[in-house]
Amino acid sequence: MSIHAPEVANRIQLDERELPQRWYNIQADLPFPGSPPLHPATKQPVGPQDLAPLFPMELIKQEVSQERYIDIPQPIQEALRLWRPTPLMRATRLERELKTTARIYYKYEGGSPAGSHKPNTAVAQAFYNKAEGTKRLTTETGAGQWGSALAFATKIFELECMVYMVRISFEQKPYRKSMMRVWGAEVVPSPSDRTQAGKRIRAENPDSTGSLGIAISEAIEDAAGREDTKYSLGSVLNHVLMHQTIIGEEALVQMERAGAMPDVVVGCVGGGSNFSGLAFPFLRDRLGGRSKTRFLAVEPAASPSITRGKYAYDFGDTIGMTPLLKMHTLGHAFVPDGIHAGGLRYHGMAPLVSGLADHGFIEAVAYPQRTVFDAAVQFARTEGTIPAPETAHAIRAVIDEAVKARERGESPTILFNFSGHGLLDLAAYDAYFDGTLSDVTLSEARIQELVGSL
Ligand SMILES: *Cc1c(COP(=O)(O)O)cnc(C)c1O
């Protein structure tokens, strides 16, 4: 056997010293006015003081900043270096199996301690809270990825952590709960009896399986009621999306080294953070008229906020405690079916993603879960790595784009975000193989009922 260099680079790794030093804030480059969050009671734009009980001032400033770049403080860089820069991979074996003329690249975010992109913002949020004297953080978690990311980050920066975990996931995904405990967080199933919001939902519906919207209400109520406690959100907000742009900034350098710029950038969307993190640095060139790259957001048919929701002001939680955000939404009363991509079961979408989609910069597509798992298994059997069910939504769309390219005789470069591995989601894979996975699609009548009152 001879040792020789591969014809194409399959793995483009950056040096530790090449970690990006700043985040990209797309708010500086939007070609349309932003829609400010509104106070839930007065319906007037919220000011910094309205948010101060929940967030440290530095994150509130980032939320409304018009600065194009924000420096990443050294202690955050040091934490990020535990797993960053992450590799860019070329999926040559998948390309061969699809007989596609497309080139497929992916940014691998599954190598972080929590196994997804979420620690990128968790360590930043924990740092700013610690710097401003916060002792304890509360949050909600769906499938458990965000809760485990924040549990890890609060341990790094020595904060206490309280996680309200959507009950159905608490029961279906016990190992995420175990991870949170390893990192020292307290975890309760939501709706819980710890908050008025939780008690109210349980009184109305004792069998409630919970939802992200309900868990957010609980985490906010807990934080608002205690002087030493603040609240942390894992997606949706502008500062969260900005913290994730480290993914795209790394990918830009790596794609340049691969000698290939993407014609289409793909990511799955729950609240929009992993998609934005990869897409926004590439969107910078599109907004500046320097590229024609397409951007494709992929959502589940069971929770189709961009493709079928309404673009309107809505609450981020179920009870109506958060500011009103202008976003694509299925209505804050929406409780999604228990599909396996728990991280994508949210009624709304990041205002930045919603605005960019509304102005034609971002396209969206929705898939039911069985075809998503077909794609996940095809990926694992060619590339090896087992994707999270969330990530598999992006892979479904990538495979469909690659097959279309073959049929049209085109050879586009496709880049997607591999947002997390699926090693804690194997029960979902078993359900797929046993044939017990069902496709749930939301009826138009139900959507109209949910968004009608917005
Ligand atoms: C949470 C999660 C998502 C969805 O959240 P976004 O904010 O839309 O990125 C996607 N993939 C994985 C692996 C996740 O953990």
Side-chain angles (χ1 to χ4, degrees), residues 116-118 145 235 268-274 343-344 388 390-391 419-420:
S116 75
H117 65 290
K118 290 197 170 78
Q145 282 112 326
S235 187
C268 64
V269 287
S273 75
N274 87 83
L344 304 184
E390 292 85 356
T391 309
S419 55

Side-chain angles (χ1 to χ4, degrees), residues 302-316:
S303 186
S305 52
I306 308 182
T307 48
R308 297 180 67 200
K310 186 169 174 178
Y311 187 42
Y313 271 103
D314 193 12
F315 296 110

Side-chain angles (χ1 to χ4, degrees), residues 10 55 144 147 149 181 217 235 250-251 260 315 350 356 361 368 389 396 439:
N10 282 323
F55 301 106
R181 288 196 178 137
S217 298
S235 187
E250 287 177 6
F315 296 110
L356 286 158
F361 293 102
R396 174 75 271 162
D439 284 344

Side-chain angles (χ1 to χ4, degrees), residues 164 167 189-208 214-215 217-219 221 319 321:
Y164 293 88
R167 183 175 295 272
S190 165
S192 77
D193 55 8
R194 306 279 187 107
T195 65
Q196 294 306 321
K199 283 182 198 154
R200 191 176 119 190
I201 303 265
R202 282 166 64 129
E204 284 165 12
N205 178 9
D207 299 326
S208 171
I214 294 170
S217 298
E218 291 208 89
E221 184 187 320
I319 301 284
M321 291 194 295

